[in-house]
């Protein structure tokens, strides 16, 4: 039995020596590393050359509906959209549109009961993020801390010159807009892809269809 024990210890010692020998050989080797040096200070993503193109592409791919506008035809297209969808209840969180909506015989409300859900809500997004197709909503521009669960459809009004390449730049822009004071609540929303039921697009109850009128 003692002979077996000695034999086992010898094998174990031999294995350890082989490992040590390999380590010494690796440390002594002067061959170049197979792995390139990583610049930890470089940007995570490649720069975006055309923020408008990237935003619209990513916004649509995420499930958003996009309507291009100019300052001249914006209201015409908004009214046409509202009438074509035959909304019965509309919540307008952007008071600057009140006069024009009234002029075009669009019935709307500026507030709703917290337990109610409008057919559509009109909201303003002051910053768009090109890389993800997302939109930032600030409580500064609305009475509500969130635009979610306010309407089955969210009609977003935004300007093309407010598109920022990425989230980091968007947060910096928020600080500049608000003179270094971030709004108490800022919400970032990305559209959701609908389900297809009998060939029709159906959004989950927890999600809203997002329709963007982008003014250039």
């Amino acid at each position: 039995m003692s002979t077996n024990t000695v034999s086992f210890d010898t094998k174990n010692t031999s294995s350890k020596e082989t490992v040590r020998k390999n380590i010494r050989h690796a440390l002594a080797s002067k061959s170049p590393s197979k792995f390139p040096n990583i610049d930890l200070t470089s940007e995570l993503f490649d720069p975006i050359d055309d923020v408008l193109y990237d935003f619209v592409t990513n916004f649509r791919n995420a499930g958003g509906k996009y309507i291009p506008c100019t300052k001249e035809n914006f209201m015409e297209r908004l009214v046409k959209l509202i009438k074509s969808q035959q909304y019965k209840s509309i919540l307008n969180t952007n008071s600057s549109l009140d006069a024009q909506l009234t002029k075009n015989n669009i019935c709307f409300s500026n507030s709703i009961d917290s337990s109610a859900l409008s057919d559509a809500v009109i909201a303003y997004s002051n910053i768009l993020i090109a890389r993800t197709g997302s939109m930032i909503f600030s409580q500064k521009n609305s009475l509500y801390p969130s635009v979610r669960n306010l309407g089955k459809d969210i009609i977003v009004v935004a300007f093309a010159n407010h598109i920022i390449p990425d989230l980091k730049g968007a947060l910096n822009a928020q600080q500049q807009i608000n003179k270094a004071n971030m709004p108490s609540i800022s919400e970032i929303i990305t559209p959701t892809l609908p389900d297809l039921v009998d060939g029709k697009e159906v959004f989950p109850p927890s999600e809203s269809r997002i329709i963007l009128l982008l003014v250039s």
Side-chain angles (χ1 to χ4, degrees):
M1 183 172 181
S2 60
T3 303
N4 292 339
T5 303
V6 171
S7 176
F8 175 78
D9 289 342
T10 301
K11 290 180 180 179
N12 191 39
T13 301
S14 176
S15 298
K16 289 181 179 179
E17 285 300 325
T18 300
V19 172
R20 293 191 184 102
K21 180 179 179 181
N22 290 337
I23 292 175
R24 288 195 298 270
H25 177 74
L27 292 175
S29 175
K30 300 298 182 181
S31 61
S33 173
K34 297 180 181 179
F35 304 99
N37 292 327
I38 299 176
D39 183 4
L40 298 179
T41 63
S42 64
E43 293 293 335
L44 184 60
F45 300 103
D46 292 332
I48 294 176
D49 296 324
D50 189 335
V51 292
L52 175 59
Y53 175 82
D54 277 42
F55 170 78
V56 172
T57 300
N58 292 328
F59 177 80
R60 281 174 162 169
N61 289 342
K65 307 299 181 183
Y66 164 69
I67 301 176
C69 305
T70 64
K71 290 182 180 180
E72 291 74 24
N73 67 17
F74 160 71
M75 185 53 63
E76 175 188 344
R77 295 194 173 185
L78 174 59
V79 171
K80 183 177 180 180
L81 168 66
I82 291 173
K83 291 184 176 180
S84 68
Q85 297 300 310
Q86 299 180 341
Y87 298 125
K88 294 181 180 179
S89 58
I90 299 172
L91 170 64
N92 177 35
T93 66
N94 189 348
S95 59
S96 65
L97 299 177
D98 285 358
Q100 286 295 321
L101 290 173
T102 301
K103 181 180 178 180
N104 284 276
N105 300 315
I106 301 297
C107 295
F108 64 92
S109 175
N110 293 121
S111 63
I112 60 170
D113 188 284
S114 58
S115 62
L117 182 67
S118 299
D119 288 338
V121 54
I122 302 174
Y124 171 69
S125 172
N126 62 331
I127 295 178
L128 309 174
I129 304 174
R131 199 175 300 282
T132 58
S134 305
M135 301 151 292
I136 296 183
F137 298 88
S138 171
Q139 194 176 16
K140 178 181 178 181
N141 302 310
S142 173
L143 295 173
Y144 302 93
S146 172
V147 299
R148 292 186 181 276
N149 301 320
L150 292 178
K152 297 176 183 177
D153 284 358
I154 302 177
I155 302 174
V156 181
V157 179
F159 291 89
N161 60 354
H162 291 176
I163 301 175
I164 305 297
D166 50 38
L167 178 59
K168 179 180 178 181
L171 295 178
N172 290 336
Q174 279 281 71
Q175 288 183 325
Q176 293 177 8
I177 292 171
N178 296 280
K179 298 180 180 179
N181 295 317
M182 292 294 286
S184 56
I185 296 178
S186 289
E187 181 179 36
I188 301 175
I189 291 181
T190 305
T192 300
L193 285 169
D195 298 322
L196 287 178
V197 180
D198 296 330
K200 294 182 179 180
E201 293 184 349
V202 178
F203 286 83
S206 60
E207 299 293 340
S208 301
R209 180 173 65 162
I210 297 180
I211 306 171
L212 172 65
L213 279 79
L214 186 61
V215 183
S216 61

Coordinates of all heavy atoms in Angstrom, one line a residue, residues 133-210:
G133 N -33.7 55.7 -31.9 CA -35.0 56.1 -32.4 C -35.9 56.5 -31.2 O -37.1 56.3 -31.3
S134 N -35.3 56.9 -30.1 CA -36.1 57.2 -28.9 C -36.4 58.7 -28.8 O -35.8 59.5 -29.5 CB -35.3 56.8 -27.6 OG -34.9 55.5 -27.7
M135 N -37.3 59.1 -27.9 CA -37.8 60.4 -27.7 C -37.7 60.8 -26.2 O -38.0 59.9 -25.4 CB -39.2 60.6 -28.2 CG -39.4 60.3 -29.7 SD -41.1 59.7 -30.0 CE -41.1 58.2 -29.1
I136 N -37.3 62.0 -25.9 CA -37.3 62.4 -24.5 C -38.4 63.4 -24.3 O -38.6 64.4 -25.0 CB -35.9 63.1 -24.1 CG1 -34.8 62.1 -24.2 CG2 -36.0 63.7 -22.7 CD1 -33.4 62.6 -23.8
F137 N -39.2 63.1 -23.2 CA -40.3 64.0 -22.8 C -40.0 64.6 -21.4 O -39.6 63.8 -20.5 CB -41.6 63.2 -22.7 CG -42.0 62.6 -24.0 CD1 -41.6 61.3 -24.4 CD2 -42.9 63.3 -24.9 CE1 -42.0 60.8 -25.6 CE2 -43.3 62.7 -26.1 CZ -42.8 61.5 -26.5
S138 N -40.1 65.9 -21.3 CA -39.8 66.5 -20.1 C -41.1 67.0 -19.4 O -42.0 67.5 -20.0 CB -38.9 67.7 -20.3 OG -38.7 68.5 -19.2
Q139 N -41.1 66.9 -18.1 CA -42.3 67.3 -17.3 C -42.5 68.9 -17.5 O -43.5 69.4 -17.2 CB -42.2 66.9 -15.9 CG -43.5 67.1 -15.1 CD -43.4 66.6 -13.7 OE1 -42.4 66.4 -13.2 NE2 -44.6 66.3 -13.1
K140 N -41.4 69.5 -17.8 CA -41.5 71.0 -18.0 C -42.5 71.3 -19.1 O -43.1 72.4 -19.1 CB -40.1 71.5 -18.4 CG -40.0 73.0 -18.7 CD -38.6 73.4 -19.1 CE -38.5 74.8 -19.4 NZ -37.1 75.2 -19.8
N141 N -42.7 70.4 -20.1 CA -43.6 70.7 -21.2 C -44.9 70.0 -21.0 O -45.8 70.1 -22.0 CB -42.9 70.2 -22.5 CG -41.6 70.8 -22.7 OD1 -41.4 72.0 -22.7 ND2 -40.6 70.0 -23.0
S142 N -45.2 69.5 -19.9 CA -46.5 68.8 -19.7 C -46.9 68.7 -18.2 O -46.0 68.7 -17.4 CB -46.4 67.4 -20.3 OG -47.6 66.6 -20.0
L143 N -48.1 68.7 -17.9 CA -48.6 68.5 -16.6 C -48.3 67.1 -16.0 O -48.3 66.9 -14.8 CB -50.1 68.8 -16.5 CG -50.6 70.2 -16.8 CD1 -52.1 70.3 -16.8 CD2 -50.0 71.2 -15.7
Y144 N -48.1 66.2 -16.9 CA -48.1 64.8 -16.5 C -46.7 64.3 -16.4 O -45.8 64.6 -17.3 CB -48.9 63.9 -17.5 CG -50.3 64.4 -17.6 CD1 -50.7 65.3 -18.6 CD2 -51.3 63.9 -16.7 CE1 -52.0 65.7 -18.7 CE2 -52.6 64.3 -16.8 CZ -53.0 65.2 -17.8 OH -54.3 65.7 -17.8
P145 N -46.3 63.5 -15.4 CA -45.0 63.0 -15.3 C -44.6 61.9 -16.4 O -43.4 61.7 -16.6 CB -45.0 62.3 -13.9 CG -46.4 62.0 -13.6 CD -47.2 63.1 -14.3
S146 N -45.6 61.4 -17.0 CA -45.4 60.4 -18.0 C -46.5 60.5 -19.1 O -47.7 60.8 -18.8 CB -45.4 59.0 -17.4 OG -45.4 58.0 -18.5
V147 N -46.1 60.3 -20.4 CA -47.1 60.3 -21.4 C -47.7 58.9 -21.6 O -48.7 58.8 -22.4 CB -46.5 60.8 -22.8 CG1 -46.0 62.2 -22.6 CG2 -45.4 59.9 -23.2
R148 N -47.1 57.9 -21.0 CA -47.6 56.6 -21.1 C -49.0 56.5 -20.4 O -49.2 57.2 -19.4 CB -46.7 55.6 -20.5 CG -45.4 55.4 -21.3 CD -44.6 54.3 -20.7 NE -43.3 54.1 -21.3 CZ -43.2 53.3 -22.4 NH1 -44.2 52.7 -23.0 NH2 -42.0 53.2 -23.0
N149 N -49.8 55.7 -20.9 CA -51.2 55.4 -20.3 C -52.1 56.6 -20.3 O -53.0 56.7 -19.5 CB -51.0 54.9 -18.8 CG -50.2 53.6 -18.8 OD1 -50.4 52.7 -19.6 ND2 -49.3 53.5 -17.8
L150 N -51.7 57.6 -21.2 CA -52.6 58.8 -21.3 C -53.5 58.6 -22.6 O -54.6 59.2 -22.6 CB -51.8 60.1 -21.5 CG -51.0 60.5 -20.3 CD1 -50.3 61.8 -20.6 CD2 -52.0 60.8 -19.1
G151 N -53.0 57.8 -23.6 CA -53.8 57.7 -24.8 C -53.4 56.4 -25.5 O -52.3 55.9 -25.4
K152 N -54.4 55.8 -26.2 CA -54.1 54.6 -27.0 C -53.0 54.9 -28.1 O -52.2 54.1 -28.4 CB -55.4 54.1 -27.7 CG -56.4 53.7 -26.6 CD -57.7 53.2 -27.3 CE -58.8 52.9 -26.3 NZ -60.1 52.5 -26.9
D153 N -53.1 56.1 -28.7 CA -52.2 56.6 -29.6 C -51.4 57.8 -29.0 O -52.1 58.7 -28.4 CB -52.8 57.1 -30.9 CG -53.2 55.9 -31.8 OD1 -52.9 54.7 -31.4 OD2 -53.7 56.1 -32.9
I154 N -50.1 57.9 -29.2 CA -49.4 59.1 -28.7 C -48.9 59.8 -30.0 O -48.1 59.3 -30.8 CB -48.2 58.7 -27.9 CG1 -48.6 57.9 -26.6 CG2 -47.4 60.0 -27.4 CD1 -47.4 57.5 -25.8
I155 N -49.5 61.0 -30.2 CA -49.1 61.8 -31.4 C -48.0 62.8 -30.9 O -48.2 63.7 -30.1 CB -50.3 62.6 -31.9 CG1 -51.4 61.7 -32.4 CG2 -49.8 63.5 -33.1 CD1 -52.7 62.4 -32.8
V156 N -46.8 62.5 -31.3 CA -45.6 63.3 -30.9 C -45.3 64.4 -31.9 O -45.2 64.1 -33.1 CB -44.4 62.4 -30.7 CG1 -43.2 63.2 -30.1 CG2 -44.7 61.2 -29.7
V157 N -45.1 65.6 -31.3 CA -44.6 66.7 -32.2 C -43.2 67.0 -31.8 O -42.9 67.1 -30.6 CB -45.5 68.0 -31.9 CG1 -45.0 69.1 -32.7 CG2 -47.0 67.7 -32.2
A158 N -42.3 67.1 -32.8 CA -40.9 67.3 -32.5 C -40.3 68.0 -33.7 O -40.9 68.1 -34.8 CB -40.2 66.0 -32.2
F159 N -39.1 68.5 -33.5 CA -38.4 69.3 -34.6 C -37.1 68.5 -35.0 O -36.4 68.0 -34.1 CB -38.0 70.7 -34.1 CG -39.2 71.6 -33.9 CD1 -39.9 71.6 -32.7 CD2 -39.7 72.3 -35.0 CE1 -41.0 72.4 -32.6 CE2 -40.8 73.1 -34.9 CZ -41.4 73.2 -33.6
A160 N -36.8 68.5 -36.3 CA -35.7 67.7 -36.8 C -34.4 68.2 -36.3 O -33.4 67.5 -36.2 CB -35.7 67.7 -38.3
N161 N -34.3 69.5 -36.0 CA -33.0 70.1 -35.5 C -32.8 69.8 -34.0 O -31.8 70.3 -33.5 CB -32.9 71.6 -35.8 CG -34.0 72.4 -35.2 OD1 -34.9 71.8 -34.6 ND2 -33.9 73.7 -35.3
H162 N -33.7 69.0 -33.4 CA -33.5 68.6 -32.0 C -33.0 67.2 -31.9 O -33.1 66.6 -30.8 CB -34.8 68.8 -31.2 CG -35.2 70.3 -31.0 ND1 -36.3 70.7 -30.4 CD2 -34.5 71.4 -31.4 CE1 -36.4 72.0 -30.4 NE2 -35.3 72.5 -31.0
I163 N -32.6 66.6 -33.0 CA -32.1 65.2 -33.0 C -30.6 65.2 -32.5 O -29.8 65.9 -33.1 CB -32.2 64.6 -34.4 CG1 -33.7 64.6 -34.9 CG2 -31.7 63.1 -34.3 CD1 -33.8 64.0 -36.3
I164 N -30.4 64.4 -31.5 CA -29.0 64.3 -30.9 C -28.5 62.8 -31.2 O -29.3 61.9 -31.2 CB -29.1 64.5 -29.4 CG1 -29.7 65.9 -29.1 CG2 -27.7 64.4 -28.8 CD1 -28.9 67.0 -29.6
P165 N -27.2 62.7 -31.5 CA -26.7 61.3 -31.9 C -27.0 60.2 -30.9 O -27.4 59.2 -31.2 CB -25.2 61.6 -32.1 CG -25.1 63.0 -32.4 CD -26.2 63.7 -31.7
D166 N -26.7 60.5 -29.6 CA -26.8 59.4 -28.6 C -27.3 59.9 -27.3 O -27.6 61.1 -27.1 CB -25.5 58.7 -28.4 CG -24.4 59.7 -28.2 OD1 -24.6 60.7 -27.5 OD2 -23.2 59.5 -28.7
L167 N -27.5 59.0 -26.3 CA -28.1 59.4 -25.0 C -27.2 60.3 -24.2 O -27.7 61.3 -23.6 CB -28.3 58.1 -24.2 CG -28.8 58.3 -22.8 CD1 -30.2 59.0 -22.8 CD2 -28.9 56.9 -22.1
K168 N -25.9 60.1 -24.3 CA -25.0 61.0 -23.6 C -25.1 62.5 -24.0 O -25.2 63.4 -23.2 CB -23.5 60.6 -23.8 CG -22.5 61.4 -23.1 CD -21.1 60.9 -23.4 CE -20.0 61.8 -22.8 NZ -18.7 61.3 -23.0
G169 N -25.2 62.6 -25.4 CA -25.4 64.0 -25.9 C -26.7 64.5 -25.6 O -26.9 65.7 -25.3
A170 N -27.8 63.6 -25.5 CA -29.1 64.1 -25.2 C -29.2 64.6 -23.8 O -29.8 65.6 -23.5 CB -30.1 62.9 -25.4
L171 N -28.5 63.9 -22.8 CA -28.6 64.4 -21.5 C -27.8 65.7 -21.3 O -28.2 66.6 -20.5 CB -28.0 63.3 -20.5 CG -28.7 62.0 -20.5 CD1 -28.0 61.0 -19.6 CD2 -30.1 62.2 -19.9
N172 N -26.7 65.9 -22.0 CA -26.0 67.1 -22.0 C -26.9 68.3 -22.6 O -26.8 69.4 -22.1 CB -24.7 67.0 -22.8 CG -23.7 66.1 -22.1 OD1 -23.7 66.0 -20.9 ND2 -22.7 65.6 -22.9
A173 N -27.6 67.9 -23.6 CA -28.5 68.9 -24.3 C -29.6 69.3 -23.3 O -30.0 70.5 -23.2 CB -29.1 68.4 -25.5
Q174 N -30.1 68.4 -22.5 CA -31.1 68.7 -21.5 C -30.6 69.7 -20.5 O -31.3 70.6 -20.1 CB -31.6 67.4 -20.8 CG -32.6 66.5 -21.6 CD -34.0 67.1 -21.4 OE1 -34.3 68.1 -22.0 NE2 -34.8 66.3 -20.7
Q175 N -29.4 69.5 -20.1 CA -28.8 70.4 -19.1 C -28.6 71.8 -19.7 O -28.8 72.8 -19.0 CB -27.4 69.9 -18.7 CG -27.5 68.7 -17.7 CD -26.1 68.2 -17.3 OE1 -25.1 68.3 -18.0 NE2 -26.1 67.7 -16.0
Q176 N -28.2 71.9 -21.0 CA -28.0 73.2 -21.6 C -29.4 73.9 -21.7 O -29.5 75.1 -21.5 CB -27.4 73.0 -23.0 CG -25.9 72.5 -22.9 CD -25.3 72.3 -24.2 OE1 -25.9 72.6 -25.3 NE2 -24.1 71.7 -24.3
I177 N -30.4 73.2 -22.2 CA -31.7 73.7 -22.3 C -32.2 74.3 -21.0 O -32.8 75.4 -21.0 CB -32.7 72.7 -22.9 CG1 -32.3 72.3 -24.3 CG2 -34.1 73.2 -22.9 CD1 -33.1 71.2 -24.9
N178 N -32.0 73.6 -19.9 CA -32.5 73.9 -18.6 C -31.5 74.7 -17.8 O -31.6 74.7 -16.5 CB -33.0 72.7 -17.9 CG -34.2 72.1 -18.6 OD1 -35.3 72.5 -18.5 ND2 -33.9 71.0 -19.4
K179 N -30.4 75.2 -18.4 CA -29.4 75.9 -17.7 C -28.8 75.2 -16.5 O -28.8 75.6 -15.4 CB -30.0 77.3 -17.2 CG -30.4 78.2 -18.4 CD -31.0 79.5 -17.9 CE -31.5 80.3 -19.1 NZ -32.0 81.6 -18.6
A180 N -28.4 74.0 -16.8 CA -27.7 73.1 -15.9 C -28.6 72.5 -14.8 O -28.2 71.7 -14.0 CB -26.5 73.8 -15.2
N181 N -29.9 72.8 -14.9 CA -30.9 72.2 -13.9 C -31.8 71.2 -14.6 O -32.6 71.6 -15.5 CB -31.7 73.3 -13.3 CG -30.9 74.3 -12.4 OD1 -30.1 73.8 -11.7 ND2 -31.2 75.6 -12.6
M182 N -31.6 70.0 -14.4 CA -32.4 68.9 -15.1 C -33.8 69.0 -14.6 O -34.1 69.3 -13.4 CB -31.8 67.6 -14.8 CG -30.4 67.3 -15.4 SD -30.5 67.3 -17.2 CE -31.3 65.7 -17.5
P183 N -34.8 68.8 -15.4 CA -36.2 68.7 -15.0 C -36.4 67.6 -13.9 O -35.6 66.7 -13.9 CB -36.9 68.4 -16.3 CG -36.0 68.7 -17.4 CD -34.6 68.5 -16.9
S184 N -37.4 67.8 -13.1 CA -37.6 66.9 -12.0 C -37.8 65.5 -12.6 O -37.4 64.5 -12.0 CB -38.8 67.3 -11.2 OG -39.9 67.5 -12.0
I185 N -38.5 65.4 -13.8 CA -38.8 64.1 -14.4 C -38.5 64.2 -15.9 O -39.1 65.1 -16.5 CB -40.2 63.6 -14.1 CG1 -40.4 63.4 -12.6 CG2 -40.5 62.3 -14.9 CD1 -41.8 62.9 -12.3
S186 N -37.7 63.4 -16.4 CA -37.5 63.3 -17.9 C -37.8 61.8 -18.3 O -37.2 60.9 -17.6 CB -36.1 63.7 -18.3 OG -36.0 65.1 -18.2
E187 N -38.5 61.6 -19.3 CA -38.9 60.2 -19.7 C -38.4 59.9 -21.1 O -38.6 60.7 -22.0 CB -40.4 60.1 -19.6 CG -41.0 58.8 -20.0 CD -42.5 58.7 -19.9 OE1 -43.1 59.8 -20.2 OE2 -43.1 57.7 -19.5
I188 N -37.8 58.8 -21.2 CA -37.3 58.4 -22.5 C -38.1 57.2 -23.0 O -38.3 56.2 -22.3 CB -35.8 57.9 -22.5 CG1 -34.9 59.1 -21.9 CG2 -35.3 57.4 -23.8 CD1 -33.5 58.7 -21.7
I189 N -38.7 57.4 -24.2 CA -39.6 56.3 -24.7 C -39.2 55.9 -26.1 O -38.8 56.8 -27.0 CB -41.1 56.9 -24.8 CG1 -41.6 57.0 -23.4 CG2 -41.9 55.9 -25.6 CD1 -43.0 57.5 -23.3
T190 N -39.2 54.6 -26.4 CA -38.9 54.1 -27.7 C -40.1 53.3 -28.2 O -40.8 52.7 -27.4 CB -37.7 53.1 -27.6 OG1 -36.6 53.7 -27.0 CG2 -37.3 52.6 -29.0
P191 N -40.5 53.5 -29.4 CA -41.7 52.8 -29.9 C -41.6 51.3 -29.7 O -40.5 50.7 -29.5 CB -41.7 53.1 -31.4 CG -40.9 54.4 -31.5 CD -39.8 54.3 -30.5
T192 N -42.8 50.7 -29.8 CA -42.9 49.2 -29.6 C -43.5 48.6 -30.9 O -44.4 49.1 -31.5 CB -43.8 48.8 -28.5 OG1 -43.2 49.4 -27.3 CG2 -43.9 47.3 -28.3
L193 N -42.9 47.5 -31.3 CA -43.4 46.8 -32.5 C -44.8 46.2 -32.2 O -44.9 45.5 -31.1 CB -42.5 45.7 -33.0 CG -41.2 46.2 -33.7 CD1 -40.2 45.0 -33.9 CD2 -41.6 46.8 -35.1
P194 N -45.8 46.3 -33.0 CA -47.1 45.7 -32.8 C -47.1 44.2 -33.1 O -46.2 43.7 -33.8 CB -48.0 46.5 -33.7 CG -47.1 46.8 -34.9 CD -45.7 47.1 -34.3
D195 N -48.1 43.6 -32.6 CA -48.4 42.2 -33.0 C -49.2 42.2 -34.2 O -50.0 43.1 -34.4 CB -49.1 41.4 -31.8 CG -48.2 41.3 -30.6 OD1 -47.0 41.2 -30.7 OD2 -48.8 41.4 -29.5
L196 N -49.1 41.2 -35.0 CA -50.0 41.0 -36.2 C -51.1 40.0 -35.9 O -50.8 38.8 -35.7 CB -49.2 40.6 -37.4 CG -48.3 41.7 -38.0 CD1 -47.5 41.1 -39.2 CD2 -49.1 42.9 -38.5
V197 N -52.3 40.5 -35.9 CA -53.5 39.6 -35.6 C -54.4 39.7 -36.8 O -55.0 40.7 -37.1 CB -54.2 40.0 -34.4 CG1 -55.4 39.1 -34.1 CG2 -53.3 39.9 -33.2
D198 N -54.6 38.6 -37.6 CA -55.4 38.5 -38.8 C -55.0 39.6 -39.8 O -55.8 40.3 -40.4 CB -56.9 38.7 -38.4 CG -57.4 37.6 -37.6 OD1 -56.9 36.4 -37.7 OD2 -58.3 37.8 -36.7
G199 N -53.6 39.8 -39.9 CA -53.1 40.8 -40.8 C -53.2 42.2 -40.4 O -52.8 43.1 -41.1
K200 N -53.7 42.5 -39.1 CA -53.8 43.9 -38.6 C -52.8 44.1 -37.5 O -52.6 43.1 -36.7 CB -55.2 44.1 -38.2 CG -56.2 44.1 -39.3 CD -57.6 44.4 -38.7 CE -58.7 44.4 -39.9 NZ -60.0 44.8 -39.4
E201 N -52.3 45.3 -37.4 CA -51.4 45.6 -36.3 C -52.2 45.8 -35.0 O -53.1 46.6 -35.0 CB -50.6 46.9 -36.6 CG -49.6 46.7 -37.8 CD -48.8 47.9 -38.0 OE1 -49.1 49.0 -37.4 OE2 -47.8 47.8 -38.8
V202 N -51.8 45.1 -34.0 CA -52.4 45.3 -32.7 C -51.3 45.5 -31.6 O -50.4 44.7 -31.5 CB -53.2 44.0 -32.3 CG1 -53.8 44.1 -30.9 CG2 -54.3 43.7 -33.4
F203 N -51.5 46.6 -30.9 CA -50.5 46.9 -29.8 C -51.0 46.4 -28.5 O -52.2 46.4 -28.2 CB -50.3 48.4 -29.7 CG -49.6 49.0 -30.8 CD1 -50.2 49.4 -32.0 CD2 -48.2 49.3 -30.7 CE1 -49.4 49.9 -33.1 CE2 -47.5 49.8 -31.7 CZ -48.1 50.1 -32.9
P204 N -50.1 45.9 -27.7 CA -50.4 45.3 -26.3 C -51.1 46.4 -25.5 O -50.8 47.6 -25.7 CB -49.1 44.9 -25.7 CG -48.2 44.8 -26.9 CD -48.6 45.8 -27.9
P205 N -52.0 46.1 -24.6 CA -52.7 47.1 -23.8 C -51.7 48.0 -23.0 O -52.1 49.1 -22.7 CB -53.5 46.2 -22.8 CG -53.7 44.9 -23.5 CD -52.4 44.7 -24.3
S206 N -50.6 47.5 -22.7 CA -49.6 48.3 -21.9 C -48.8 49.3 -22.8 O -48.0 50.1 -22.3 CB -48.7 47.4 -21.1 OG -47.9 46.6 -22.0
E207 N -48.9 49.2 -24.1 CA -48.1 50.0 -25.0 C -49.1 50.8 -25.9 O -50.2 50.4 -26.2 CB -47.3 49.1 -25.9 CG -46.2 48.3 -25.1 CD -45.2 49.1 -24.5 OE1 -45.0 50.3 -24.9 OE2 -44.5 48.6 -23.5
S208 N -48.6 52.0 -26.3 CA -49.3 52.9 -27.2 C -48.7 52.9 -28.6 O -47.5 52.7 -28.7 CB -49.4 54.3 -26.6 OG -50.0 54.3 -25.4
R209 N -49.5 53.1 -29.6 CA -48.9 53.4 -30.9 C -48.4 54.8 -30.9 O -49.0 55.7 -30.5 CB -50.0 53.2 -32.0 CG -49.5 53.5 -33.4 CD -50.5 53.1 -34.4 NE -51.7 54.0 -34.4 CZ -52.5 54.1 -35.4 NH1 -52.4 53.5 -36.5 NH2 -53.6 55.0 -35.3
I210 N -47.2 55.0 -31.4 CA -46.5 56.3 -31.4 C -46.5 56.8 -32.9 O -45.9 56.1 -33.8 CB -45.1 56.2 -30.8 CG1 -45.2 55.8 -29.4 CG2 -44.4 57.6 -31.0 CD1 -43.9 55.7 -28.7

